[in-house]
Amino acid sequence: MSVTRTGEEGPSVDTDPRRWWGLVVIALAQLMVVLDATIVNIALPSAQRDLGMSDGNRQWVITAYTLAFGGLLLLGGRIADLVGRKRTFVIGLVGFAAASALGGAATNAGMLFGARALQGAFAAVLAPSALSLLTTTFTDPKERGKAFGIYGALAGSGAAIGFIVGGLLTEYLDWRWCLYVNVPIALVAVLGALALLHDRPGRAGARLDVPGVLLGCGGLVAIVYGFSEAESRGWTDPMVLALFAAGILLLVVFVWWQSRAPMPLLPLHIIRDRNRAGCFLTMALAVIGMFGLFLFMTYYLQAVLEYSPVKTGLAFLPLTAAIIIGSTQISARLLQRVPPRMLMVPGMVLAAGGMVLLTRMTTHSSYASEILPALLLLGLGMGLTFMPVFATATAGVAPHDSGVTSATVNTSQQVGGSIGTALLNTIATTSTATYVTAHFTDPSDRTRVMREGVVHGYTVALWWAAAIMLLAGLIAGLMVTTKAPGHGAAADAPVPEQVT
């Protein structure tokens, strides 16, 4: 018996010699999406001055993107399954580039907010189609390990790269280039996708689960929005509590409906699988800690150590390098020989160790001796974790469900980032306020006490982040029980589309 995989463009993706160039295209698109979640952070003060944004409204530059991205991912994943992943990949790229150009040309705050929301919406189409194309292109266990190593490195380091690129563009060009830079990247990726990527056609006669879209996307939007508002309003604010309650209610009804819908938006067997559910939870918890680190370190380096935007961005470079090494040189090489949890658990322990090292930072910490070792540990830990999470979560999925499975992985990452930013920022600001109240006695000493209070708040939040990462490691160890792909390759490969 031989297995042949036919795509809409003819040759088998398993034997197409250009598939590694296709991986470059997929990776480029994924990098653009992840990078855009943070690239505007360093540019935000400049954009606020240019467009006259208030302090209360400036958060919408970030929130508009995360809301649309996190809330619409399930819809984007299912659209990819229904109409074809290559088609939605190209549509996502073109739309993302157009929205980026609109944002770069913004003449007022509302125009920028709208462009960022559009970016998020097209990213919700682009991200799951990119991961599902990777899943269905690389089915050989050894090749799959290499491909997911590269993908995991970009997914883990993209946010840090965003800080580096954002700092360079803001300082030497203009904040608008943090958006314009997506246009040439997307153009190259579109041309590459049309020439190099293959896909199966969409499912003829399949229909979109409209009630599932309204319930699932509505619930995710409410929860992501609730966490973003909790950061400024507080956890007990009536609006925040109402958003959480509405989001949980919608998601409960969504799960009930998915068990009865003829063509569900998210087939429940995807999340009932123990290994897959463990990967989703591990991803969400890992990203909670990581996004908290990005938030605190950006402010710490610029406001406390008084680094420039470029110097701040470059300070994240070792973290990025460590993630890439951990993912491509360690995880990708070992995944064929060891069970995924044997990489994920040590990875989370290493990352937690990096967080604990950072809790020693003061208002005068040395980067080389105190910050750098922690970033290297954290990066290696994230690299060890992300690659097996992506590979395991998408293994063994039927081709017609690969888009929505990929979307669920991305959703756990996006929701984790929203939770991490809000939760850890709240812990930090509360701890800072308590410290300042307890130590503020001499008005002439106010500046020193405030700086020490800010750093104290960060260290308390970093202890929480370390605990959350250890919890991620515990969940990975208990739930992700699958064997090494090399010992069960046939079971882990996606269902073939045509067997002859």
Side-chain angles (χ1 to χ4, degrees):
M1 182 176 74
S2 65
V3 178
T4 3
R5 294 174 59 84
T6 53
E8 65 181 4
E9 311 230 1
S12 163
V13 292
D14 290 331
T15 57
D16 185 353
R18 299 181 303 169
R19 64 191 178 282
W20 289 104
W21 285 107
L23 172 62
V24 173
V25 173
I26 293 168
L28 194 63
Q30 176 64 18
L31 177 63
M32 185 176 68
V33 168
V34 179
L35 178 149
D36 228 71
T38 55
I39 192 172
V40 298
N41 283 35
I42 291 178
L44 190 52
S46 302
Q48 184 180 359
R49 285 194 301 271
D50 267 12
L51 301 180
M53 281 181 255
S54 67
D55 286 346
N57 284 336
R58 69 182 175 186
Q59 63 148 336
W60 281 102
V61 176
I62 310 299
T63 305
Y65 182 82
T66 56
L67 262 183
F69 189 14
L72 298 176
L73 269 166
L74 283 180
L75 174 60
R78 187 44 97 192
I79 288 173
D81 288 332
L82 295 181
V83 305
R85 290 173 290 272
K86 177 178 174 179
R87 189 174 300 157
T88 53
F89 183 78
V90 171
I91 291 170
L93 283 169
V94 172
F96 197 90
S100 299
L102 182 66
T107 55
N108 56 59
M111 187 173 171
L112 180 58
F113 299 157
R116 288 288 286 166
L118 270 178
Q119 274 188 308
F122 282 109
V125 172
L126 182 57
S129 58
L131 181 53
S132 58
L133 277 167
L134 185 70
T135 301
T136 54
T137 298
F138 294 93
T139 56
D140 176 79
K142 290 184 180 179
E143 289 193 348
R144 187 178 173 85
K146 293 177 185 177
F148 274 92
I150 295 168
Y151 187 89
L154 290 174
S157 62
I161 294 171
F163 288 118
I164 299 168
V165 176
L168 290 168
L169 292 175
T170 301
E171 189 152 325
Y172 294 115
L173 289 174
D174 183 76
W175 68 266
R176 296 177 184 275
W177 278 98
C178 291
L179 294 161
Y180 285 144
V181 71
N182 293 319
V183 177
I185 295 175
L187 180 61
V188 170
V190 166
L191 294 175
L194 294 174
L196 299 168
L197 296 181
H198 304 291
D199 189 21
R200 56 189 285 277
R203 297 173 67 188
R207 292 179 298 172
L208 195 61
D209 173 20
V210 176
V213 169
L214 296 175
L215 291 167
C217 296
L220 288 171
V221 166
I223 286 176
V224 173
Y225 187 27
F227 276 110
S228 66
E229 287 295 304
E231 196 175 344
S232 55
R233 293 173 176 266
W235 296 96
T236 57
D237 181 82
M239 180 179 173
V240 172
L241 294 175
L243 285 167
F244 285 148
I248 292 168
L249 178 62
L250 286 170
L251 290 180
V252 168
V253 178
F254 170 74
V255 171
W256 170 83
W257 171 249
Q258 294 308 281
S259 65
R260 290 159 176 77
M263 292 184 179
L265 179 68
L266 175 62
L268 294 183
H269 66 82
I270 289 172
I271 54 176
R272 284 196 188 113
D273 179 87
R274 175 177 178 156
N275 293 298
R276 205 166 284 128
C279 287
F280 296 153
L281 286 172
T282 301
M283 172 63 81
L285 291 168
V287 172
I288 286 175
M290 189 174 74
F291 267 67
L293 170 90
F294 289 149
L295 177 71
F296 301 138
M297 289 309 298
T298 303
Y299 279 97
Y300 173 74
L301 293 171
Q302 290 193 76
V304 178
L305 298 187
E306 298 180 350
Y307 283 19
S308 68
V310 169
K311 193 175 180 182
T312 299
L314 292 175
F316 283 103
L317 195 56
L319 172 71
T320 303
I323 291 174
I324 292 171
I325 290 169
S327 187
T328 62
Q329 301 305 308
I330 302 176
S331 280
R333 294 175 184 271
L334 292 180
L335 187 61
Q336 295 307 306
R337 300 180 178 88
V338 301
R341 64 177 171 179
M342 295 302 292
L343 295 169
M344 295 158 67
V345 174
M348 285 294 90
V349 172
L350 276 178
M355 289 291 191
V356 171
L357 283 182
L358 281 175
T359 62
R360 303 181 306 160
M361 66 188 187
T362 66
T363 54
H364 302 290
S365 286
S366 162
Y367 176 82
S369 62
E370 296 175 70
I371 307 301
L372 178 60
L375 293 181
L376 291 174
L377 270 182
L378 185 78
L380 282 173
M382 286 297 182
L384 281 173
T385 304
F386 278 163
M387 182 267 171
V389 164
F390 282 119
T392 307
T394 56
V397 178
H400 60 266
D401 284 333
S402 65
V404 75
T405 305
S406 303
T408 310
V409 181
N410 280 284
T411 298
S412 63
Q413 191 175 6
Q414 190 63 33
V415 173
S418 299
I419 294 172
T421 303
L423 174 64
L424 296 178
N425 189 58
T426 302
I427 292 170
T429 52
T430 304
S431 301
T432 295
T434 304
Y435 182 94
V436 171
T437 302
H439 292 80
F440 182 62
T441 53
D442 183 0
S444 65
D445 212 20
R446 178 181 177 84
T447 302
R448 181 186 65 82
V449 172
M450 285 296 296
R451 285 166 65 88
E452 289 178 352
V454 166
V455 174
H456 172 76
Y458 292 167
T459 58
V460 171
L462 287 169
W463 277 112
W464 278 87
I468 290 168
M469 286 184 161
L470 287 176
L471 177 60
L474 179 64
I475 286 174
L478 294 176
M479 293 186 67
V480 185
T481 56
T482 187
K483 295 179 181 178
H487 295 91
D492 288 344
V495 177
E497 292 165 36
Q498 185 179 349
V499 180
T500 59

